[in-house]
């Protein structure tokens, strides 16, 4: 069956319709409003009417487009919270994406009573997952390998699933999950008894085959790319090896992006760069493959809540990373693979926002730059490093080094202690009298809670929390 395309161009000037045009109950619409979702994003406007009418979908959408809500609202609409069985299964390529998807589903499900969303990913210990499954869940979000593991142990049953979502299908196939997906599909009710929603950023042949196999008369939703390349401003600076790491600090202090991802070709280079930046007073953290999952989560929380200016990573360590609102990408080294370069720079300038890309290239790397130019079909734009060096004295005197707007406080205690974001917010605003506007993201993990607060109230919040109570209990809090 050939899918019928119903793509809606997103470049038009007409505003997206409001959520109230959808057949959603009032309490769901109220919750969307509380979340600040006023109008649908283009992918939501194109997919939600079809998906809420029960159609299978192939939707081409990237992270940052609002795609999670485009499948989460339909799966919640199909769900009966009074029935204690897994009714929706979402497969994701990575643990990080699965965590984000779970969080978004939980936010969207707040309007419904007691919808339990469970994340099942590899890399986490089995025992708590088994315990949570024994307690029952309505929605399971996970990576294919671990889901299959649970099916093998019969700790998870899929017979009541009425919505199956394949998120980032192209990446799951790239990561070699095709067989796992097939094995999972065998345990799902047949296509006539479920709704299947496939999301993918690209649509190569193997994704088309996957769709042909598991979807029933799917509608295809494609969005024309929103000014793809032109949103990204890319500049090259020629550097010598001893200028390279210092040049990163010059760029940051000059352009002052709030969130930057810096790519290095080697782990050693990552380590050196973090040391140089920290010595210059810039808050930089390294994301490397050897980190324990808990440390990795901690790094990512600090970056996402704007208390770390720069995340430094190799391509391998950054794999599977999904960050909305990344203002700049710095290629500290030029990658030998032009395709990898495209991947790196595609992480900024998302969802219609503009992005900055800075490339530092030595004479030895000019061949690589040539290949990138060829692939992009445009000429690289060069600026002299001296321009930044000249500005730097002035920048430093006027503004000081780049500082992130927020600071992260870690509360030793999390979901296991039944702490919720609202408890922390209450302690900070009601008990300590802080302005809600000075409090940023609150991430509650199993054993820790991370709260971002504005730098100027960080000390007060830290002292207050340590002296006071959260959820009626004294807590230990430290500044990260
Ligand atoms: P996603 O592409 O699903 O990762 O979503 C990107 C971000 O946009 C998430 O932080 C969502 O919470 C947010 N978002 C999704 N839909 C809307 C909307 N209609 N209005 C405002 N924000 C939204």
């Amino acid at each position: 069956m050939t899918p019928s395309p119903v793509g809606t161009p997103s470049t038009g000037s007409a505003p997206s319709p409001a959520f109230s045009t959808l057949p959603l109950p009032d309490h769901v619409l109220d919750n969307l409003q509380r979340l600040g979702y006023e109008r649908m994003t283009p992918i939501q406007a194109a997919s939600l009417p079809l998906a809420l009418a029960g159609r299978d979908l192939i939707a081409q959408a990237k992270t940052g487009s609002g795609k999670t809500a485009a499948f989460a609202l339909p799966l919640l609409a199909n769900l009966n919270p009074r029935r204690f069985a897994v009714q929706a299964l979402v497969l994701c390529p990575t643990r990080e994406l699965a965590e984000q998807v779970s969080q978004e589903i939980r936010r969207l499900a707040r309007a419904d009573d007691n919808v339990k969303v469970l994340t099942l990913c590899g890399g986490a210990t089995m025992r708590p997952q088994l315990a949570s499954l024994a307690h029952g869940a309505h929605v399971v979000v996970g990576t294919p390998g671990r889901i299959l593991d649970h099916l093998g142990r019969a700790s998870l049953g899929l017979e009541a699933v009425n919505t199956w979502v394949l998120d980032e299908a192209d990446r799951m196939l790239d990561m070699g999950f095709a067989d796992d997906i097939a094995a999972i599909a065998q345990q799902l009710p047949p296509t006539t008894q479920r709704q299947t929603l496939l999301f993918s950023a690209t649509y190569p042949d193997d994704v088309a085959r996957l769709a042909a196999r598991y979807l029933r008369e799917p509608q295809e939703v494609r969005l024309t790319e929103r000014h793809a390349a032109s949103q990204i401003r890319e500049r090259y600076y020629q550097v010598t090896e001893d200028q390279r790491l210092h040049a990163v600090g010059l760029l940051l202090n000059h352009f002052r992006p709030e969130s930057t991802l810096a790519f290095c070709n080697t782990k050693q280079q990552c380590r050196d760069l973090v040391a140089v930046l920290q010595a210059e007073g810039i808050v930089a953290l390294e994301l490397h493959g050897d980190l324990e999952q808990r440390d990795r989560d901690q790094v990512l929380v600090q970056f996402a809540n704007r208390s770390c200016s720069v995340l430094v990573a190799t391509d391998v360590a950054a794999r599977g990373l999904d960050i909305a609102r990344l203002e700049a990408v710095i290629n500290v080294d030029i990658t030998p693979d032009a395709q990898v370069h495209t991947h790196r720079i595609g992480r900024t300038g998302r969802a219609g926002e503009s992005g900055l890309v800075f490339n530092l290239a030595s004479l030895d790397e000019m061949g690589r730059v040539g290949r990138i130019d060829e692939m992009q079909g445009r000429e690289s734009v060069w600026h002299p490093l001296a321009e930044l060096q000249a500005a730097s004295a002035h920048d430093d005197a006027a503004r000081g080094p780049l500082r992130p707007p927020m600071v992260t406080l870690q509360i030793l205690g999390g979901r296991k202690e039944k702490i919720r974001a609202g408890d922390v917010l209450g302690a900070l605003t009601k008990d300590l009298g802080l302005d809600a506007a000075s409090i940023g993201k609150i991430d509650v993990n199993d054993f820790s809670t991370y709260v971002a607060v504005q730098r100027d109230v960080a000390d007060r919040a830290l002292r207050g929390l340590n002296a006071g109570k959260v959820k009626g209990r004294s807590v230990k809090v430290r500044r990260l």
Side-chain angles (χ1 to χ4, degrees):
M1 171 79 51
T2 334
S4 36
V6 291
T8 316
S10 62
T11 39
S13 54
S16 288
F19 281 98
S20 53
T21 59
L22 295 171
L24 289 170
D26 284 345
H27 67 278
V28 173
L29 292 173
D30 291 346
N31 183 44
L32 286 168
Q33 201 164 27
R34 273 197 299 274
L35 290 173
Y37 294 15
E38 279 170 13
R39 307 208 148 263
M40 288 187 257
T41 66
I43 189 68
Q44 290 163 354
S47 8
L48 282 170
L50 294 163
L52 289 170
R55 296 297 306 259
D56 279 8
L57 280 193
I58 301 171
Q60 208 166 1
K62 289 199 216 174
T63 297
S65 61
K67 70 179 163 78
T68 315
F71 61 73
L73 290 169
L75 78 78
L76 290 169
N78 289 343
L79 199 121
N80 175 2
R82 281 185 299 275
R83 181 162 183 212
F84 295 103
V86 176
Q87 295 161 63
L89 173 69
V90 182
L91 294 184
C92 299
T94 63
R95 178 183 148 151
E96 262 122 35
L97 184 65
E99 297 276 3
Q100 280 176 30
V101 166
S102 295
Q103 260 178 23
E104 177 80 350
I105 297 178
R106 283 195 192 105
R107 271 149 40 97
L108 292 169
R110 268 204 309 228
D112 295 288
D113 286 335
N114 296 319
V115 172
K116 276 208 67 181
V117 183
L118 186 60
T119 320
L120 298 178
C121 295
T125 38
M126 206 63 183
R127 197 191 293 248
Q129 294 188 352
L130 293 172
S132 303
L133 276 167
H135 275 95
H138 297 101
V139 181
V140 163
V141 182
T143 47
R146 183 53 66 98
I147 298 286
L148 199 56
D149 239 11
H150 282 287
L151 292 173
R153 295 164 179 250
S155 45
L156 170 67
L158 300 178
E159 53 291 332
V161 168
N162 56 24
T163 317
W164 184 27
V165 178
L166 294 141
D167 193 15
E168 305 208 349
D170 50 352
R171 267 169 71 196
M172 287 201 283
L173 293 178
D174 284 348
M175 291 168 74
F177 284 133
D179 292 344
D180 289 0
I181 292 171
I184 293 166
Q186 280 203 327
Q187 306 217 18
L188 285 163
T191 54
T192 48
Q193 287 168 34
R194 64 167 202 248
Q195 184 177 15
T196 310
L197 305 170
L198 181 150
F199 283 72
S200 191
T202 59
Y203 197 51
D205 288 347
D206 52 355
V207 173
R209 279 195 296 275
L210 193 74
R213 212 163 145 195
Y214 301 122
L215 276 70
R216 186 169 55 105
E217 296 175 29
Q219 291 272 337
E220 193 178 340
V221 178
R222 257 177 223 241
L223 296 182
T224 43
E225 197 63 50
R226 208 187 259 246
H227 334 278
S230 61
Q231 287 284 33
I232 296 176
R233 283 190 293 148
E234 189 167 6
R235 285 182 174 193
Y236 282 83
Y237 293 85
Q238 191 184 324
V239 292
T240 60
E241 287 313 328
D242 24 312
Q243 287 171 326
R244 197 187 291 269
L245 299 183
H246 179 59
V248 177
L250 290 175
L251 284 167
L252 292 168
N253 284 330
H254 187 69
F255 291 97
R256 307 187 91 76
E258 225 171 66
S259 290
T260 300
L261 186 56
F263 284 102
C264 301
N265 289 354
T266 64
K267 284 195 229 173
Q268 186 57 50
Q269 182 84 313
C270 289
R271 240 166 280 152
D272 294 346
L273 177 60
V274 168
V276 167
L277 292 178
Q278 285 179 347
E280 290 175 4
I282 293 174
V283 182
L285 292 171
E286 186 193 350
L287 189 72
H288 57 80
D290 310 333
L291 284 179
E292 295 271 339
Q293 191 66 47
R294 202 161 4 145
D295 297 327
R296 186 175 162 95
D297 288 346
Q298 205 172 81
V299 168
L300 291 175
V301 161
Q302 291 178 79
F303 190 61
N305 73 17
R306 322 231 119 197
S307 58
C308 159
S309 305
V310 193
L311 191 63
V312 180
T314 59
D315 297 292
V316 173
R319 200 178 285 157
L321 202 62
D322 285 298
I323 310 163
R325 290 181 59 208
L326 190 61
E327 270 158 83
V329 166
I330 301 182
N331 293 307
V332 181
D333 307 299
I334 305 298
T335 161
D337 183 343
Q339 197 96 46
V340 168
H341 183 82
T342 309
H343 246 89
R344 287 177 171 184
I345 70 172
R347 291 174 175 278
T348 181
R350 280 179 173 173
E353 287 182 27
S354 60
L356 294 167
V357 176
F358 303 111
N359 304 307
L360 303 177
S362 66
L363 277 176
D364 288 343
E365 290 169 322
M366 293 304 165
R368 297 175 176 184
V369 175
R371 282 197 294 280
I372 291 167
D373 279 358
E374 210 168 287
M375 178 152 152
Q376 293 182 331
R378 59 171 193 248
E379 292 237 332
S380 41
V381 177
W382 291 84
H383 284 252
L385 192 64
E387 198 175 87
L388 296 177
Q389 284 160 336
S392 129
H394 170 260
D395 287 347
D396 289 356
R399 304 183 288 188
L402 176 68
R403 285 221 165 270
M406 311 298 278
V407 166
T408 300
L409 303 181
Q410 179 187 20
I411 301 170
L412 304 179
R415 260 196 297 270
K416 296 286 176 212
E417 283 73 28
K418 304 242 180 312
I419 291 183
R420 286 175 314 173
D423 303 326
V424 179
L425 190 63
L428 289 167
T429 53
K430 292 208 196 75
D431 305 352
L432 301 178
L434 291 178
D435 188 354
S438 63
I439 297 155
K441 250 180 122 213
I442 300 175
D443 294 274
V444 185
N445 291 7
D446 280 351
F447 302 103
S448 273
T449 300
Y450 301 96
V451 49
V453 295
Q454 275 176 6
R455 183 167 295 279
D456 54 338
V457 299
D459 287 332
R460 212 175 118 200
L462 179 66
R463 261 182 281 124
L465 284 175
N466 268 322
K469 289 196 155 83
V470 175
K471 199 146 193 176
R473 250 187 292 178
S474 303
V475 285
K476 274 218 171 64
V477 187
R478 63 185 190 121
R479 182 177 173 147
L480 289 186

